[in-house]
Amino acid sequence: MINIPPAFIYIIGALLIPLVRLRRLQQALALLIPLLAMGTLLQMQQGVYWQVQFLDYELILGRVDRLSLLFAYIFVIISFISMVYAIHIKEMGQHVAAYLYVGSTLGVVFAGDLFSLFFFWEVMAAASVFLIWYNKTPTSLAAGFRYAMVHLFGGAILLGGIVMQVSTTGSIAFNPFDLSTLSAKFILFGFLINAAVPPLHAWLPDAYPEGTITGSVFMTAFTTKSAVYVLARGFAGTELLVWLGAIMTLYGVIYAVIEKDIRRLLAYHIVSQVGYMVCAVGLGTEMAINGAGAHAFCHIIYKAVLFMGMGAVIYVTGRRNILDLKGRNLYKKMPITLVLYMVGAFSISAVPLFNGFVSKTMIVAAAGYSHRPVIELMLHLASVGTFLSVGLKLPWGVWFGKPDGSEDEIADVKDPPLNMQLGMGLGALLCIITGIFPQTLYKILPYEVHFHPYAPSHVVASLQLLLLTLAGFCLYTNKLMAGKKSISLDTDWFYRSFGYAVLLFCTYPLNRLRNLIKAAFANKTESAVRLSKHPYALLEIVWYAIIGQEKSITELLQRPYDEKDYRIPVGIGVCASLIFLFLYALIYMRVAG
Amino acid sequence: MKTTRRRIMLAAIVVVFLLGFIFPNPHPHFWWQKIPVFDIFFGFFGSILLIVFAKWLGHNWLLKDKDYYNND
């Protein structure tokens, strides 16, 4: 369609959006960009394109194979859906930031070399932070700064790894890494920060709930899933990832049980779901890599639907905590949002006929085929927790909930604007289509698929699991809903406390030292100031010392300033310059002669 | 109303219990996959375990006052 890398379709598009003055045209352009990119993607053949010479290296902006195409398809699809959801936003900057973010993610996906990978990696972080800052609250400003700091730190580590890699091997190719080298360890560390692997994950539940309603929908899709992609490229089959991934799934689930902030709860479930993908990448078999890709595809859609649903609730009610929403019968006021949210919730919970079922079960089965009993059980338990929090606790708390008499009325709310409903609807539709017809997804996976999600025993086992999770929820509903407004500590405690400690250090010990120094030198500077007003006083002091006449220094210095003391006839200046010229001429003739 | 819901729930559990015996896992990888009703117990006790453990952890350690980071 257009012979430029899809990344640049978005980046150029993002820069064009502000130039269009007519609002309708602007909206049309914003929706046209993903369509153009999709058209380009559909025409791309596997191979290597867009090689650019840079210094002594060859950058590859288009490494096209089944893995990169899979991720590119879903990134483009979700950018369209998210833009439909966000199209009512009048502030152009938000669209620009979102598309720079999408474009740079596509750059990462198609990067065949480490330099362009790093470039797009950094643009991704820089563009996405604005989606947090546009929320324009003090908390989002602070969260955005923390987000930026963590990603800059991760980027620096990644760059360190890349530089070491290039200087030891001489090649900038982005191929599977050898983890025994130090450079690969650095690169892995950089990737793990973006994949939000504990304990490096705290930026995610810290920042995503603070983003704008529409910006957060974009953010859920790109950063973590592009990290899964680069892990699958560079570190497939790494044992460490199997365990980190499995721990992630449970880590997110446990936090989600105690979380009351509706978008922070969902953010912890991103950590949990990305855990499945990281674990699958670690397993590294064909089935597991297929599972990681398929789950990334499905996860991006249903997580967007979930964030759109909760975003809609915040948009119309202005409330973000379960404790401010429960027992207000919101289901009567925003039924469409509830239904569409539940499609996403059933998808993430892997209910049969919804898309999570066709991808998550593939990863769990891959753990079985790799004979990993503990891992299989951990992933299985995380499925229970997913349905518990996202499928039951959150919708129950937001739309239903038992009133206890203390509730204030939420007046005059209804389902959000049409475009927001449409965005959710498109996402929900895709969840159902891929859930019912898994072959549509399996056809574009990296390897051939020999997995049948709808084997009767699979379906029955899932129903057993889900139904009894529901039973457990019913028994403990009150316990889950109880509590007061609070925040949960996570590993961001370390850098937040460190930041606070630095602040304290500056305010007290460092400031005291400054005061000490100031006190010690204050009178000295005073003398220096006075001396600078009477430069000759110094000479006078020396002169009086020589001739043995006692005169106090302060007396000399405190003499009122008289400009006549420092005024010399013009002739002296002329004479001095003549002497200088004469000396100069002498030296010149001596050297030249 | 409440008892009706409870009855539906129990009936559904009985149905999936029986279905577990009708459709056993044809390719079990681990011993627990050979138990037709394993997921019934895993789902029930797993959810309770998660709730109790997470609540305990939150109560004793993780949950702090909402001004925790702002008291400077």
Side-chain angles (χ1 to χ4, degrees):
Chain A
M1 201 165 197
I2 305 176
N3 190 22
I4 57 170
F8 290 107
I9 297 180
Y10 279 93
I11 292 172
I12 296 169
L15 301 177
L16 285 180
I17 290 175
L19 299 180
V20 182
R21 305 311 302 177
L22 209 61
R23 191 163 144 67
R24 291 278 165 215
L25 213 59
Q26 220 174 51
Q27 291 175 323
L29 179 64
L31 292 173
L32 184 70
I33 291 165
L35 297 179
L36 274 178
M38 198 63 196
T40 311
L41 279 186
L42 288 175
Q43 289 192 340
M44 274 160 69
Q45 301 293 319
Q46 293 189 34
V48 174
Y49 306 97
W50 300 302
Q51 282 138 302
V52 184
Q53 205 67 29
F54 173 72
L55 303 178
D56 288 339
Y57 300 102
E58 190 169 60
L59 305 185
I60 298 165
L61 300 179
R63 174 182 30 196
V64 185
D65 57 15
R66 291 182 71 90
L67 188 64
S68 54
L69 273 178
L70 171 70
F71 277 83
Y73 287 142
I74 186 58
F75 284 148
V76 170
I77 290 172
I78 209 64
S79 74
F80 179 75
I81 293 175
S82 307
M83 191 45 87
V84 171
Y85 183 78
I87 203 73
H88 63 281
I89 302 280
K90 293 200 178 82
E91 212 163 18
M92 280 176 296
Q94 294 199 35
H95 295 330
V96 174
Y99 273 174
L100 284 176
Y101 182 36
V102 178
S104 51
T105 314
L106 285 173
V108 166
V109 167
F110 286 119
D113 68 280
L114 294 168
F115 282 175
S116 51
L117 172 81
F118 177 75
F119 171 77
F120 288 119
W121 195 262
E122 292 292 287
V123 177
M124 216 161 75
S128 55
V129 73
F130 285 93
L131 298 175
I132 306 169
W133 279 339
Y134 266 115
N135 209 19
K136 295 176 185 167
T137 62
T139 42
S140 63
L141 184 68
F145 270 118
R146 287 193 294 274
Y147 174 89
M149 303 267 256
V150 171
H151 283 286
L152 288 179
F153 174 70
I157 301 269
L158 177 65
L159 180 63
I162 290 173
V163 169
M164 278 192 272
Q165 173 85 8
V166 174
S167 60
T168 49
T169 64
S171 152
I172 61 164
F174 175 27
N175 287 325
F177 297 101
D178 172 14
L179 200 57
S180 61
T181 60
L182 186 64
S183 57
K185 290 193 180 83
F186 270 64
I187 293 172
L188 178 64
F189 191 89
F191 288 174
L192 289 182
I193 285 188
N194 269 27
V197 176
L200 311 171
H201 69 290
W203 59 268
L204 193 158
D206 184 21
Y208 284 14
E210 304 303 335
T212 65
I213 285 166
T214 54
S216 283
V217 176
F218 278 98
M219 298 183 75
T220 60
F222 296 100
T223 303
T224 46
K225 261 60 74 184
S226 59
V228 168
Y229 167 79
V230 291
L231 284 172
R233 261 283 166 238
F235 296 98
T238 304
E239 177 65 18
L240 177 71
L241 294 181
V242 178
W243 289 99
L244 285 177
I247 291 168
M248 266 174 97
T249 58
L250 287 173
Y251 192 102
V253 157
I254 286 169
Y255 266 88
V257 171
I258 55 173
E259 200 52 65
K260 293 282 193 302
D261 183 306
I262 56 180
R263 284 196 296 174
R264 191 165 155 94
L265 190 157
L266 288 178
Y268 274 113
H269 269 284
I270 298 180
V271 174
S272 175
Q273 296 298 306
V274 172
Y276 283 92
M277 300 166 217
V278 171
C279 180
V281 166
L283 290 170
T285 60
E286 286 194 358
M287 186 181 189
I289 297 291
N290 271 344
H295 201 46
F297 191 98
C298 296
H299 168 83
I300 286 172
I301 304 172
Y302 63 64
K303 187 54 83 176
V305 173
L306 295 172
F307 257 81
M308 288 193 264
M310 284 303 141
V313 170
I314 297 175
Y315 181 84
V316 299
T317 65
R319 302 172 184 214
R320 52 184 283 181
N321 197 299
I322 285 183
L323 298 173
D324 293 329
L325 290 159
K326 75 181 167 87
R328 271 93 166 168
N329 288 335
L330 215 55
Y331 71 95
K332 289 180 187 160
K333 293 169 179 163
M334 24 192 335
I336 297 173
T337 313
L338 169 65
V339 169
L340 297 176
Y341 171 87
M342 285 317 291
V343 172
F346 284 152
S347 300
I348 192 175
S349 312
V351 174
L353 302 182
F354 295 90
N355 71 0
F357 182 75
V358 306
S359 58
K360 191 195 280 183
T361 47
M362 195 191 277
I363 295 178
V364 181
Y369 279 103
S370 303
H371 305 291
R372 308 297 293 255
V374 182
I375 300 293
E376 204 256 11
L377 280 180
M378 286 168 87
L379 299 185
H380 219 52
L381 185 60
S383 304
V384 173
T386 307
F387 185 48
L388 186 70
S389 292
V390 184
L392 298 169
K393 176 189 161 188
L394 197 52
W396 178 257
V398 170
W399 278 283
F400 302 94
K402 222 184 293 169
D404 60 8
S406 63
E407 289 83 10
D408 51 338
E409 180 78 13
I410 303 179
D412 297 334
V413 298
K414 53 181 194 318
D415 277 307
L418 192 64
N419 71 298
M420 290 172 85
Q421 294 183 32
L422 202 63
M424 287 187 273
L426 280 173
L429 189 68
L430 274 179
C431 285
I432 294 171
I433 290 176
T434 36
I436 296 178
F437 307 106
Q439 290 308 327
T440 48
L441 169 61
Y442 290 175
K443 263 194 301 201
I444 55 171
L445 293 182
Y447 303 102
E448 205 182 330
V449 179
H450 307 284
F451 176 69
H452 303 287
Y454 287 111
S457 62
H458 274 172
V459 177
V460 170
S462 291
L463 290 178
Q464 290 180 346
L465 196 74
L466 295 167
L467 199 61
L468 271 293
T469 306
L470 174 63
F473 172 78
C474 291
L475 283 180
Y476 280 85
T477 313
N478 291 339
K479 196 173 167 65
L480 268 174
M481 291 296 154
K484 55 180 177 31
K485 277 187 198 168
S486 48
I487 57 162
S488 50
L489 296 190
D490 206 335
T491 51
D492 56 343
W493 182 85
F494 290 99
Y495 53 80
R496 291 175 82 152
S497 307
F498 176 72
Y500 188 56
V502 170
L503 192 71
L504 284 183
F505 176 74
C506 293
T507 332
Y508 298 108
L510 206 61
N511 202 27
R512 196 160 297 160
L513 183 69
R514 184 185 70 90
N515 281 332
L516 277 176
I517 295 172
K518 192 176 138 194
F521 285 95
N523 49 359
K524 304 282 184 299
T525 43
E526 214 176 315
S527 327
V529 169
R530 262 189 261 136
L531 190 63
S532 68
K533 285 186 187 161
H534 307 281
Y536 289 166
L538 200 65
L539 292 176
E540 284 181 52
I541 292 164
V542 176
W543 173 246
Y544 286 124
I546 291 169
I547 61 169
Q549 217 171 29
E550 296 259 330
K551 241 186 185 177
S552 89
I553 297 169
T554 35
E555 192 191 324
L556 281 172
L557 287 177
Q558 272 168 0
R559 191 177 50 196
Y561 175 74
D562 184 2
E563 60 182 15
K564 283 190 193 123
D565 289 354
Y566 303 99
R567 194 177 275 167
I568 40 173
V570 180
I572 294 180
V574 175
C575 183
S577 44
L578 277 177
I579 293 169
F580 174 77
L581 266 177
F582 176 69
L583 287 173
Y584 181 79
L586 264 183
I587 294 166
Y588 180 79
M589 281 189 295
R590 184 104 189 106
V591 174
Chain B
M1 183 71 184
K2 205 169 179 187
T3 45
T4 338
R5 253 186 282 169
R6 201 169 286 172
R7 275 186 200 145
I8 295 172
M9 184 88 182
L10 279 174
I13 293 173
V14 171
V15 170
V16 291
F17 186 89
L18 295 175
L19 281 175
F21 286 96
I22 300 171
F23 301 107
N25 191 335
H27 310 290
H29 295 287
F30 312 112
W31 59 262
W32 57 82
Q33 292 179 336
K34 292 177 194 157
I35 307 170
V37 292
F38 173 76
D39 281 308
I40 286 191
F41 293 97
F42 194 80
F44 188 65
F45 292 109
S47 58
I48 291 174
L49 174 85
L50 280 174
I51 295 171
V52 173
F53 177 67
K55 278 282 170 183
W56 175 81
L57 209 61
H59 185 72
N60 288 301
W61 184 26
L62 297 175
L63 289 182
K64 298 282 175 212
D65 189 76
K66 63 183 188 324
D67 289 328
Y68 180 82
Y69 285 118
N70 299 335
N71 51 5
D72 38 357

